[in-house]
Amino acid sequence: MGFDDICNTGLVLGLGFSSTTDQKSTKIIAPLGKGPTSLGFEPSLTLSLSGDRTYEQQATKKVSVTKPLNDDQSADLYRQDSAASSYSNASVKRERDVGSEETTEVEKVSSRVSDEDDDGSNARKKLRLTKAQSALLEESFKIHSTLNPKQKQDLARELNLRPRQVEVWFQNRRARTKLKQTEVDCEFLKKCCETLTEENRRLHKELQELKALKIAQPLYMQLPVATLTMYPSCERIGGVGENPSKNPFTIAQKPHFYSQFTNPSAAC
DNA sequence: GTCGTTGCCCTCGTTACTTCA
DNA sequence: GTTGAAGTAACGAGGGCAACG
């Protein structure tokens, strides 16, 4: 007896993925309003992820980037800053130290970097931002995950950092945020997978029980309908209540030809 | 209107450095 | 003091978009 036999019993076990599946048996709600949008699918059974863009900056990215370019003031500021640079390399050109003239004692680290810049050494510089700097950057990030040139300039001036440093910090911050969100999404999907696996296992077990019941009781020995116990899942699959005529268990609802031999207590 | 170029910014992946257990 | 892991600043590559000629 194989799977085909199961199918021949007239019992139907439905467990699959569909975007419109009635999912009342498993109620999993995304813990976050944000979903794993990086994945190209939505587990349909209960993983009705919102589909909201996880990172709103995706939508606002170009706005925040391009809009300021239309702002003559900020664009001029940026161009002015660019013009002040004597570097030709694009990446180096960004390394403008606009705030170096306002160095304070708080920013000794960044000052050190500026000094090294003056050396012209090509060694990679790495500084640790002060707590105050990090706090202000975080504060700004909460408000805007991306910065327009003017905001960048202002923030850099306020922090006594180069605009490029602010820019890099925001880039890295976005990356870290995305990474964290991905990890959260991953955990969520793992839990969903476990739940679905468990549900699948349970339904298979249920099916086996029903199958065994079917075998134990030949057709002419079917129990009267009143004695049948309908499993909740079967009710769902069978559509009981919607249209009784489509009930897969209707065979016992009609008086059977051999009903006089029916023995509810027959165990074999 | 279309095309090529330029400039800017982005993400992604990586490297290098710092901090901490 | 050493070491490995984690965190993170910095970088380069590649791509998208807008402005311009």
Side-chain angles (χ1 to χ4, degrees), chain A residues 128-150:
Chain A
R128 297 299 289 191
L129 299 174
T130 64
K131 284 186 179 181
Q133 286 172 323
S134 295
L136 188 51
L137 285 165
E138 285 287 349
E139 197 79 12
S140 300
F141 186 81
K142 284 178 185 174
I143 300 169
H144 300 111
S145 60
T146 55
L147 293 175
N148 62 38
K150 177 126 178 30

Short mmCIF file of all heavy atoms in Angstrom, two decimals, chain A residues 128-150:
data_model
loop_
_atom_site.label_atom_id
_atom_site.label_comp_id
_atom_site.label_asym_id
_atom_site.label_seq_id
_atom_site.Cartn_x
_atom_site.Cartn_y
_atom_site.Cartn_z
N ARG A 128 38.73 55.82 16.29
CA ARG A 128 37.55 55.45 17.05
C ARG A 128 36.80 56.72 17.35
O ARG A 128 37.34 57.67 17.89
CB ARG A 128 37.95 54.76 18.36
CG ARG A 128 38.68 53.49 18.17
CD ARG A 128 37.88 52.45 17.43
NE ARG A 128 36.78 51.91 18.22
CZ ARG A 128 36.08 50.84 17.84
NH1 ARG A 128 36.33 50.25 16.70
NH2 ARG A 128 35.12 50.39 18.60
N LEU A 129 35.56 56.71 16.98
CA LEU A 129 34.75 57.87 17.27
C LEU A 129 34.51 57.95 18.77
O LEU A 129 34.39 56.93 19.46
CB LEU A 129 33.41 57.77 16.54
CG LEU A 129 33.50 57.70 15.02
CD1 LEU A 129 32.12 57.46 14.43
CD2 LEU A 129 34.10 58.96 14.45
N THR A 130 34.43 59.16 19.23
CA THR A 130 34.15 59.34 20.66
C THR A 130 32.69 58.99 20.92
O THR A 130 31.87 58.91 20.00
CB THR A 130 34.40 60.78 21.09
OG1 THR A 130 33.47 61.63 20.40
CG2 THR A 130 35.83 61.20 20.76
N LYS A 131 32.38 58.79 22.17
CA LYS A 131 31.01 58.46 22.53
C LYS A 131 30.05 59.57 22.13
O LYS A 131 28.93 59.33 21.69
CB LYS A 131 30.90 58.18 24.04
CG LYS A 131 31.47 56.84 24.44
CD LYS A 131 31.21 56.56 25.90
CE LYS A 131 31.75 55.19 26.29
NZ LYS A 131 31.51 54.86 27.71
N ALA A 132 30.52 60.77 22.30
CA ALA A 132 29.67 61.91 21.95
C ALA A 132 29.40 61.93 20.45
O ALA A 132 28.28 62.18 20.00
CB ALA A 132 30.35 63.20 22.38
N GLN A 133 30.45 61.64 19.69
CA GLN A 133 30.28 61.61 18.24
C GLN A 133 29.33 60.50 17.83
O GLN A 133 28.44 60.70 17.01
CB GLN A 133 31.65 61.43 17.57
CG GLN A 133 32.52 62.67 17.60
CD GLN A 133 33.92 62.39 17.10
OE1 GLN A 133 34.49 61.32 17.35
NE2 GLN A 133 34.50 63.35 16.38
N SER A 134 29.56 59.34 18.39
CA SER A 134 28.69 58.21 18.06
C SER A 134 27.25 58.47 18.44
O SER A 134 26.32 58.14 17.70
CB SER A 134 29.19 56.94 18.77
OG SER A 134 30.46 56.57 18.30
N ALA A 135 27.08 59.08 19.59
CA ALA A 135 25.72 59.37 20.06
C ALA A 135 25.00 60.32 19.11
O ALA A 135 23.83 60.10 18.76
CB ALA A 135 25.79 59.96 21.46
N LEU A 136 25.72 61.34 18.69
CA LEU A 136 25.09 62.31 17.80
C LEU A 136 24.81 61.69 16.43
O LEU A 136 23.78 61.95 15.80
CB LEU A 136 26.01 63.53 17.65
CG LEU A 136 25.40 64.73 16.89
CD1 LEU A 136 24.03 65.09 17.47
CD2 LEU A 136 26.33 65.92 16.98
N LEU A 137 25.73 60.86 15.99
CA LEU A 137 25.51 60.17 14.71
C LEU A 137 24.30 59.25 14.80
O LEU A 137 23.48 59.19 13.88
CB LEU A 137 26.76 59.38 14.33
CG LEU A 137 27.93 60.21 13.81
CD1 LEU A 137 29.22 59.40 13.81
CD2 LEU A 137 27.66 60.75 12.42
N GLU A 138 24.21 58.55 15.91
CA GLU A 138 23.07 57.66 16.10
C GLU A 138 21.77 58.47 16.12
O GLU A 138 20.76 58.05 15.56
CB GLU A 138 23.22 56.88 17.42
CG GLU A 138 24.22 55.75 17.36
CD GLU A 138 23.71 54.56 16.54
OE1 GLU A 138 22.51 54.53 16.20
OE2 GLU A 138 24.53 53.68 16.23
N GLU A 139 21.85 59.58 16.80
CA GLU A 139 20.68 60.46 16.88
C GLU A 139 20.23 60.88 15.48
O GLU A 139 19.05 60.84 15.15
CB GLU A 139 21.03 61.69 17.71
CG GLU A 139 19.82 62.45 18.21
CD GLU A 139 19.21 61.77 19.43
OE1 GLU A 139 19.84 60.87 20.01
OE2 GLU A 139 18.09 62.15 19.79
N SER A 140 21.20 61.25 14.70
CA SER A 140 20.89 61.68 13.34
C SER A 140 20.36 60.53 12.50
O SER A 140 19.47 60.70 11.68
CB SER A 140 22.15 62.25 12.68
OG SER A 140 22.61 63.36 13.41
N PHE A 141 20.94 59.37 12.75
CA PHE A 141 20.53 58.21 11.96
C PHE A 141 19.08 57.85 12.25
O PHE A 141 18.36 57.36 11.37
CB PHE A 141 21.45 57.02 12.27
CG PHE A 141 21.19 55.82 11.41
CD1 PHE A 141 21.71 55.76 10.12
CD2 PHE A 141 20.42 54.77 11.87
CE1 PHE A 141 21.48 54.65 9.32
CE2 PHE A 141 20.18 53.66 11.07
CZ PHE A 141 20.72 53.61 9.79
N LYS A 142 18.67 58.04 13.49
CA LYS A 142 17.28 57.74 13.83
C LYS A 142 16.33 58.64 13.05
O LYS A 142 15.23 58.24 12.69
CB LYS A 142 17.07 57.94 15.34
CG LYS A 142 17.63 56.80 16.17
CD LYS A 142 17.43 57.07 17.66
CE LYS A 142 18.09 56.00 18.50
NZ LYS A 142 18.04 56.31 19.94
N ILE A 143 16.79 59.84 12.82
CA ILE A 143 15.93 60.79 12.11
C ILE A 143 16.00 60.54 10.61
O ILE A 143 15.00 60.44 9.93
CB ILE A 143 16.37 62.24 12.43
CG1 ILE A 143 16.25 62.47 13.93
CG2 ILE A 143 15.54 63.23 11.65
CD1 ILE A 143 16.89 63.76 14.40
N HIS A 144 17.22 60.43 10.11
CA HIS A 144 17.41 60.19 8.67
C HIS A 144 18.47 59.11 8.50
O HIS A 144 19.60 59.29 8.92
CB HIS A 144 17.87 61.46 7.95
CG HIS A 144 16.91 62.59 8.07
ND1 HIS A 144 17.18 63.73 8.81
CD2 HIS A 144 15.67 62.76 7.55
CE1 HIS A 144 16.14 64.55 8.71
NE2 HIS A 144 15.22 63.98 7.97
N SER A 145 18.08 58.04 7.85
CA SER A 145 19.06 56.98 7.61
C SER A 145 19.99 57.36 6.46
O SER A 145 21.01 56.71 6.26
CB SER A 145 18.35 55.67 7.30
OG SER A 145 17.55 55.80 6.16
N THR A 146 19.60 58.35 5.71
CA THR A 146 20.50 58.88 4.69
C THR A 146 20.60 60.39 4.85
O THR A 146 19.67 61.02 5.35
CB THR A 146 20.00 58.56 3.27
OG1 THR A 146 18.67 59.07 3.13
CG2 THR A 146 20.01 57.08 3.01
N LEU A 147 21.67 60.92 4.42
CA LEU A 147 21.89 62.36 4.57
C LEU A 147 22.02 63.03 3.22
O LEU A 147 22.59 62.46 2.29
CB LEU A 147 23.19 62.60 5.35
CG LEU A 147 23.24 62.17 6.82
CD1 LEU A 147 24.64 62.39 7.36
CD2 LEU A 147 22.22 62.93 7.63
N ASN A 148 21.49 64.20 3.14
CA ASN A 148 21.75 64.99 1.94
C ASN A 148 23.05 65.76 2.20
O ASN A 148 23.55 65.82 3.33
CB ASN A 148 20.58 65.93 1.62
CG ASN A 148 20.32 66.94 2.71
OD1 ASN A 148 21.26 67.44 3.33
ND2 ASN A 148 19.07 67.22 2.98
N PRO A 149 23.64 66.31 1.17
CA PRO A 149 24.94 66.97 1.32
C PRO A 149 24.97 68.04 2.41
O PRO A 149 25.93 68.14 3.17
CB PRO A 149 25.17 67.58 -0.06
CG PRO A 149 24.44 66.68 -0.98
CD PRO A 149 23.21 66.25 -0.22
N LYS A 150 23.87 68.78 2.51
CA LYS A 150 23.85 69.84 3.52
C LYS A 150 23.86 69.26 4.92
O LYS A 150 24.60 69.71 5.80
CB LYS A 150 22.59 70.71 3.32
CG LYS A 150 22.42 71.79 4.35
CD LYS A 150 22.25 73.12 3.67
CE LYS A 150 22.02 74.27 4.63
NZ LYS A 150 22.62 74.15 5.94
#
